[in-house]
Amino acid sequence: MYLIPANAKRGQYIFGLFRPVDLVIFGIGVGMTLLMIMFMPMQETWAAIVAIIPGLIAALLVAPVAYYHNVLQLLLEIYGFFSNRRKYIWKGWCVRDEQQWTTVDRKLD
């Protein structure tokens, strides 16, 4: 019997924290921030805030969250929960033929 440690999945991540897509998201956000800092006038407060927003959003998306990999994964799970079917019908343990299933489905809907 082989026991798998609880943190076995972390070994597959880059630095134990990031998937490649996480680093791409973070890199794009920081890159956009750097470009905006270079080309926008930083004398005004609103311009500085607008320039920093892409980097902050990207950093928040890849920040670790308890019980989830990161905020991006948490948002995907929330979206999946609300966009998928939430009416689950338990049909029992016994195996029935296809014709019986369709009649049971029609009665339950």
Side-chain angles (χ1 to χ4, degrees), residues 72-91:
L72 177 62
Q73 189 66 36
L74 175 64
L75 293 174
L76 290 174
E77 293 289 332
I78 291 170
Y79 174 76
F81 176 77
F82 286 112
S83 65
N84 291 333
R85 175 180 160 178
R86 283 179 277 163
K87 180 181 174 188
Y88 301 106
I89 302 169
W90 185 71
K91 303 200 174 167

PDB file of all heavy atoms in Angstrom, residues 72-91:
ATOM      1  N   LEU A  72      -7.793  32.636  -8.524  1.00  0.00           N
ATOM      2  CA  LEU A  72      -8.316  32.297  -9.852  1.00  0.00           C
ATOM      3  C   LEU A  72      -9.062  30.970  -9.802  1.00  0.00           C
ATOM      4  O   LEU A  72     -10.170  30.848 -10.337  1.00  0.00           O
ATOM      5  CB  LEU A  72      -7.178  32.236 -10.870  1.00  0.00           C
ATOM      6  CG  LEU A  72      -7.552  31.827 -12.286  1.00  0.00           C
ATOM      7  CD1 LEU A  72      -8.522  32.827 -12.891  1.00  0.00           C
ATOM      8  CD2 LEU A  72      -6.311  31.693 -13.134  1.00  0.00           C
ATOM      9  N   GLN A  73      -8.484  29.974  -9.150  1.00  0.00           N
ATOM     10  CA  GLN A  73      -9.138  28.672  -9.036  1.00  0.00           C
ATOM     11  C   GLN A  73     -10.429  28.777  -8.225  1.00  0.00           C
ATOM     12  O   GLN A  73     -11.431  28.152  -8.550  1.00  0.00           O
ATOM     13  CB  GLN A  73      -8.187  27.658  -8.379  1.00  0.00           C
ATOM     14  CG  GLN A  73      -8.700  26.243  -8.424  1.00  0.00           C
ATOM     15  CD  GLN A  73      -8.787  25.706  -9.833  1.00  0.00           C
ATOM     16  OE1 GLN A  73      -7.954  26.005 -10.679  1.00  0.00           O
ATOM     17  NE2 GLN A  73      -9.796  24.919 -10.098  1.00  0.00           N
ATOM     18  N   LEU A  74     -10.421  29.580  -7.181  1.00  0.00           N
ATOM     19  CA  LEU A  74     -11.626  29.801  -6.377  1.00  0.00           C
ATOM     20  C   LEU A  74     -12.730  30.430  -7.226  1.00  0.00           C
ATOM     21  O   LEU A  74     -13.887  29.998  -7.186  1.00  0.00           O
ATOM     22  CB  LEU A  74     -11.310  30.692  -5.182  1.00  0.00           C
ATOM     23  CG  LEU A  74     -12.486  31.122  -4.312  1.00  0.00           C
ATOM     24  CD1 LEU A  74     -13.127  29.926  -3.640  1.00  0.00           C
ATOM     25  CD2 LEU A  74     -12.025  32.136  -3.279  1.00  0.00           C
ATOM     26  N   LEU A  75     -12.395  31.446  -8.023  1.00  0.00           N
ATOM     27  CA  LEU A  75     -13.387  32.082  -8.890  1.00  0.00           C
ATOM     28  C   LEU A  75     -13.932  31.106  -9.940  1.00  0.00           C
ATOM     29  O   LEU A  75     -15.126  31.120 -10.241  1.00  0.00           O
ATOM     30  CB  LEU A  75     -12.786  33.311  -9.573  1.00  0.00           C
ATOM     31  CG  LEU A  75     -12.445  34.482  -8.653  1.00  0.00           C
ATOM     32  CD1 LEU A  75     -11.731  35.574  -9.425  1.00  0.00           C
ATOM     33  CD2 LEU A  75     -13.685  35.015  -7.976  1.00  0.00           C
ATOM     34  N   LEU A  76     -13.066  30.238 -10.470  1.00  0.00           N
ATOM     35  CA  LEU A  76     -13.527  29.236 -11.433  1.00  0.00           C
ATOM     36  C   LEU A  76     -14.475  28.239 -10.780  1.00  0.00           C
ATOM     37  O   LEU A  76     -15.461  27.815 -11.383  1.00  0.00           O
ATOM     38  CB  LEU A  76     -12.334  28.508 -12.056  1.00  0.00           C
ATOM     39  CG  LEU A  76     -11.473  29.334 -13.003  1.00  0.00           C
ATOM     40  CD1 LEU A  76     -10.239  28.545 -13.428  1.00  0.00           C
ATOM     41  CD2 LEU A  76     -12.275  29.759 -14.211  1.00  0.00           C
ATOM     42  N   GLU A  77     -14.192  27.846  -9.535  1.00  0.00           N
ATOM     43  CA  GLU A  77     -15.082  26.930  -8.814  1.00  0.00           C
ATOM     44  C   GLU A  77     -16.432  27.594  -8.538  1.00  0.00           C
ATOM     45  O   GLU A  77     -17.483  26.960  -8.666  1.00  0.00           O
ATOM     46  CB  GLU A  77     -14.449  26.495  -7.497  1.00  0.00           C
ATOM     47  CG  GLU A  77     -13.222  25.631  -7.656  1.00  0.00           C
ATOM     48  CD  GLU A  77     -13.543  24.246  -8.171  1.00  0.00           C
ATOM     49  OE1 GLU A  77     -14.662  23.759  -7.925  1.00  0.00           O
ATOM     50  OE2 GLU A  77     -12.679  23.661  -8.836  1.00  0.00           O
ATOM     51  N   ILE A  78     -16.426  28.849  -8.141  1.00  0.00           N
ATOM     52  CA  ILE A  78     -17.683  29.569  -7.895  1.00  0.00           C
ATOM     53  C   ILE A  78     -18.488  29.683  -9.189  1.00  0.00           C
ATOM     54  O   ILE A  78     -19.696  29.445  -9.199  1.00  0.00           O
ATOM     55  CB  ILE A  78     -17.398  30.957  -7.293  1.00  0.00           C
ATOM     56  CG1 ILE A  78     -16.853  30.808  -5.880  1.00  0.00           C
ATOM     57  CG2 ILE A  78     -18.638  31.830  -7.296  1.00  0.00           C
ATOM     58  CD1 ILE A  78     -16.320  32.101  -5.286  1.00  0.00           C
ATOM     59  N   TYR A  79     -17.824  30.028 -10.280  1.00  0.00           N
ATOM     60  CA  TYR A  79     -18.500  30.121 -11.570  1.00  0.00           C
ATOM     61  C   TYR A  79     -19.083  28.762 -11.972  1.00  0.00           C
ATOM     62  O   TYR A  79     -20.225  28.672 -12.438  1.00  0.00           O
ATOM     63  CB  TYR A  79     -17.550  30.623 -12.652  1.00  0.00           C
ATOM     64  CG  TYR A  79     -18.156  30.593 -14.028  1.00  0.00           C
ATOM     65  CD1 TYR A  79     -19.086  31.544 -14.405  1.00  0.00           C
ATOM     66  CD2 TYR A  79     -17.822  29.590 -14.938  1.00  0.00           C
ATOM     67  CE1 TYR A  79     -19.671  31.509 -15.666  1.00  0.00           C
ATOM     68  CE2 TYR A  79     -18.400  29.546 -16.188  1.00  0.00           C
ATOM     69  CZ  TYR A  79     -19.313  30.502 -16.548  1.00  0.00           C
ATOM     70  OH  TYR A  79     -19.894  30.450 -17.793  1.00  0.00           O
ATOM     71  N   GLY A  80     -18.303  27.704 -11.797  1.00  0.00           N
ATOM     72  CA  GLY A  80     -18.786  26.362 -12.135  1.00  0.00           C
ATOM     73  C   GLY A  80     -19.987  25.964 -11.307  1.00  0.00           C
ATOM     74  O   GLY A  80     -20.925  25.331 -11.806  1.00  0.00           O
ATOM     75  N   PHE A  81     -20.000  26.334 -10.044  1.00  0.00           N
ATOM     76  CA  PHE A  81     -21.132  25.997  -9.187  1.00  0.00           C
ATOM     77  C   PHE A  81     -22.404  26.695  -9.644  1.00  0.00           C
ATOM     78  O   PHE A  81     -23.471  26.087  -9.722  1.00  0.00           O
ATOM     79  CB  PHE A  81     -20.827  26.376  -7.741  1.00  0.00           C
ATOM     80  CG  PHE A  81     -21.988  26.159  -6.808  1.00  0.00           C
ATOM     81  CD1 PHE A  81     -22.306  24.895  -6.372  1.00  0.00           C
ATOM     82  CD2 PHE A  81     -22.765  27.226  -6.390  1.00  0.00           C
ATOM     83  CE1 PHE A  81     -23.377  24.688  -5.527  1.00  0.00           C
ATOM     84  CE2 PHE A  81     -23.834  27.034  -5.543  1.00  0.00           C
ATOM     85  CZ  PHE A  81     -24.149  25.758  -5.110  1.00  0.00           C
ATOM     86  N   PHE A  82     -22.305  27.975  -9.951  1.00  0.00           N
ATOM     87  CA  PHE A  82     -23.493  28.728 -10.324  1.00  0.00           C
ATOM     88  C   PHE A  82     -23.923  28.518 -11.773  1.00  0.00           C
ATOM     89  O   PHE A  82     -25.064  28.791 -12.117  1.00  0.00           O
ATOM     90  CB  PHE A  82     -23.302  30.218 -10.054  1.00  0.00           C
ATOM     91  CG  PHE A  82     -23.373  30.547  -8.595  1.00  0.00           C
ATOM     92  CD1 PHE A  82     -22.253  30.978  -7.917  1.00  0.00           C
ATOM     93  CD2 PHE A  82     -24.555  30.397  -7.889  1.00  0.00           C
ATOM     94  CE1 PHE A  82     -22.309  31.263  -6.572  1.00  0.00           C
ATOM     95  CE2 PHE A  82     -24.624  30.684  -6.548  1.00  0.00           C
ATOM     96  CZ  PHE A  82     -23.500  31.121  -5.879  1.00  0.00           C
ATOM     97  N   SER A  83     -23.030  28.056 -12.637  1.00  0.00           N
ATOM     98  CA  SER A  83     -23.402  27.884 -14.037  1.00  0.00           C
ATOM     99  C   SER A  83     -23.820  26.455 -14.371  1.00  0.00           C
ATOM    100  O   SER A  83     -24.425  26.226 -15.410  1.00  0.00           O
ATOM    101  CB  SER A  83     -22.243  28.309 -14.946  1.00  0.00           C
ATOM    102  OG  SER A  83     -21.145  27.450 -14.745  1.00  0.00           O
ATOM    103  N   ASN A  84     -23.527  25.487 -13.511  1.00  0.00           N
ATOM    104  CA  ASN A  84     -23.900  24.102 -13.775  1.00  0.00           C
ATOM    105  C   ASN A  84     -25.232  23.765 -13.129  1.00  0.00           C
ATOM    106  O   ASN A  84     -25.744  24.502 -12.294  1.00  0.00           O
ATOM    107  CB  ASN A  84     -22.821  23.146 -13.265  1.00  0.00           C
ATOM    108  CG  ASN A  84     -21.562  23.248 -14.076  1.00  0.00           C
ATOM    109  OD1 ASN A  84     -21.594  23.602 -15.240  1.00  0.00           O
ATOM    110  ND2 ASN A  84     -20.444  22.943 -13.454  1.00  0.00           N
ATOM    111  N   ARG A  85     -25.734  22.626 -13.484  1.00  0.00           N
ATOM    112  CA  ARG A  85     -27.004  22.146 -12.949  1.00  0.00           C
ATOM    113  C   ARG A  85     -26.859  21.871 -11.461  1.00  0.00           C
ATOM    114  O   ARG A  85     -25.935  21.199 -11.028  1.00  0.00           O
ATOM    115  CB  ARG A  85     -27.383  20.865 -13.689  1.00  0.00           C
ATOM    116  CG  ARG A  85     -28.604  20.197 -13.183  1.00  0.00           C
ATOM    117  CD  ARG A  85     -28.855  18.968 -14.001  1.00  0.00           C
ATOM    118  NE  ARG A  85     -29.724  18.088 -13.261  1.00  0.00           N
ATOM    119  CZ  ARG A  85     -30.162  16.947 -13.715  1.00  0.00           C
ATOM    120  NH1 ARG A  85     -29.774  16.534 -14.885  1.00  0.00           N
ATOM    121  NH2 ARG A  85     -30.955  16.208 -13.005  1.00  0.00           N
ATOM    122  N   ARG A  86     -27.776  22.382 -10.669  1.00  0.00           N
ATOM    123  CA  ARG A  86     -27.711  22.192  -9.221  1.00  0.00           C
ATOM    124  C   ARG A  86     -28.824  21.303  -8.696  1.00  0.00           C
ATOM    125  O   ARG A  86     -28.920  21.084  -7.508  1.00  0.00           O
ATOM    126  CB  ARG A  86     -27.744  23.530  -8.504  1.00  0.00           C
ATOM    127  CG  ARG A  86     -26.399  24.216  -8.574  1.00  0.00           C
ATOM    128  CD  ARG A  86     -26.450  25.523  -7.897  1.00  0.00           C
ATOM    129  NE  ARG A  86     -26.990  26.472  -8.863  1.00  0.00           N
ATOM    130  CZ  ARG A  86     -27.467  27.631  -8.564  1.00  0.00           C
ATOM    131  NH1 ARG A  86     -27.495  28.035  -7.347  1.00  0.00           N
ATOM    132  NH2 ARG A  86     -27.936  28.429  -9.496  1.00  0.00           N
ATOM    133  N   LYS A  87     -29.665  20.805  -9.563  1.00  0.00           N
ATOM    134  CA  LYS A  87     -30.714  19.895  -9.136  1.00  0.00           C
ATOM    135  C   LYS A  87     -30.229  18.483  -9.419  1.00  0.00           C
ATOM    136  O   LYS A  87     -30.295  17.992 -10.543  1.00  0.00           O
ATOM    137  CB  LYS A  87     -32.001  20.183  -9.911  1.00  0.00           C
ATOM    138  CG  LYS A  87     -33.146  19.293  -9.535  1.00  0.00           C
ATOM    139  CD  LYS A  87     -34.368  19.635 -10.377  1.00  0.00           C
ATOM    140  CE  LYS A  87     -35.476  18.659 -10.105  1.00  0.00           C
ATOM    141  NZ  LYS A  87     -36.584  18.845 -11.033  1.00  0.00           N
ATOM    142  N   TYR A  88     -29.702  17.837  -8.398  1.00  0.00           N
ATOM    143  CA  TYR A  88     -29.158  16.497  -8.542  1.00  0.00           C
ATOM    144  C   TYR A  88     -30.212  15.483  -8.105  1.00  0.00           C
ATOM    145  O   TYR A  88     -30.768  15.586  -7.021  1.00  0.00           O
ATOM    146  CB  TYR A  88     -27.896  16.334  -7.714  1.00  0.00           C
ATOM    147  CG  TYR A  88     -26.824  17.311  -8.107  1.00  0.00           C
ATOM    148  CD1 TYR A  88     -26.527  18.394  -7.304  1.00  0.00           C
ATOM    149  CD2 TYR A  88     -26.139  17.156  -9.297  1.00  0.00           C
ATOM    150  CE1 TYR A  88     -25.560  19.296  -7.672  1.00  0.00           C
ATOM    151  CE2 TYR A  88     -25.167  18.063  -9.680  1.00  0.00           C
ATOM    152  CZ  TYR A  88     -24.882  19.124  -8.858  1.00  0.00           C
ATOM    153  OH  TYR A  88     -23.925  20.020  -9.225  1.00  0.00           O
ATOM    154  N   ILE A  89     -30.470  14.513  -8.941  1.00  0.00           N
ATOM    155  CA  ILE A  89     -31.489  13.507  -8.667  1.00  0.00           C
ATOM    156  C   ILE A  89     -30.791  12.190  -8.371  1.00  0.00           C
ATOM    157  O   ILE A  89     -30.076  11.650  -9.213  1.00  0.00           O
ATOM    158  CB  ILE A  89     -32.441  13.353  -9.867  1.00  0.00           C
ATOM    159  CG1 ILE A  89     -33.098  14.690 -10.174  1.00  0.00           C
ATOM    160  CG2 ILE A  89     -33.469  12.281  -9.590  1.00  0.00           C
ATOM    161  CD1 ILE A  89     -33.838  14.715 -11.493  1.00  0.00           C
ATOM    162  N   TRP A  90     -30.989  11.693  -7.157  1.00  0.00           N
ATOM    163  CA  TRP A  90     -30.417  10.414  -6.795  1.00  0.00           C
ATOM    164  C   TRP A  90     -31.360   9.326  -7.269  1.00  0.00           C
ATOM    165  O   TRP A  90     -32.539   9.319  -6.926  1.00  0.00           O
ATOM    166  CB  TRP A  90     -30.213  10.335  -5.277  1.00  0.00           C
ATOM    167  CG  TRP A  90     -29.517   9.095  -4.865  1.00  0.00           C
ATOM    168  CD1 TRP A  90     -28.226   8.779  -5.061  1.00  0.00           C
ATOM    169  CD2 TRP A  90     -30.106   7.988  -4.175  1.00  0.00           C
ATOM    170  NE1 TRP A  90     -27.946   7.559  -4.542  1.00  0.00           N
ATOM    171  CE2 TRP A  90     -29.087   7.047  -3.997  1.00  0.00           C
ATOM    172  CE3 TRP A  90     -31.375   7.707  -3.716  1.00  0.00           C
ATOM    173  CZ2 TRP A  90     -29.296   5.840  -3.364  1.00  0.00           C
ATOM    174  CZ3 TRP A  90     -31.586   6.511  -3.081  1.00  0.00           C
ATOM    175  CH2 TRP A  90     -30.559   5.589  -2.912  1.00  0.00           C
ATOM    176  N   LYS A  91     -30.861   8.422  -8.072  1.00  0.00           N
ATOM    177  CA  LYS A  91     -31.719   7.422  -8.688  1.00  0.00           C
ATOM    178  C   LYS A  91     -31.590   6.059  -8.034  1.00  0.00           C
ATOM    179  O   LYS A  91     -32.134   5.094  -8.519  1.00  0.00           O
ATOM    180  CB  LYS A  91     -31.390   7.334 -10.159  1.00  0.00           C
ATOM    181  CG  LYS A  91     -31.556   8.685 -10.822  1.00  0.00           C
ATOM    182  CD  LYS A  91     -31.712   8.616 -12.268  1.00  0.00           C
ATOM    183  CE  LYS A  91     -31.996  10.017 -12.699  1.00  0.00           C
ATOM    184  NZ  LYS A  91     -31.948  10.373 -13.971  1.00  0.00           N
TER     185      LYS A  91
END
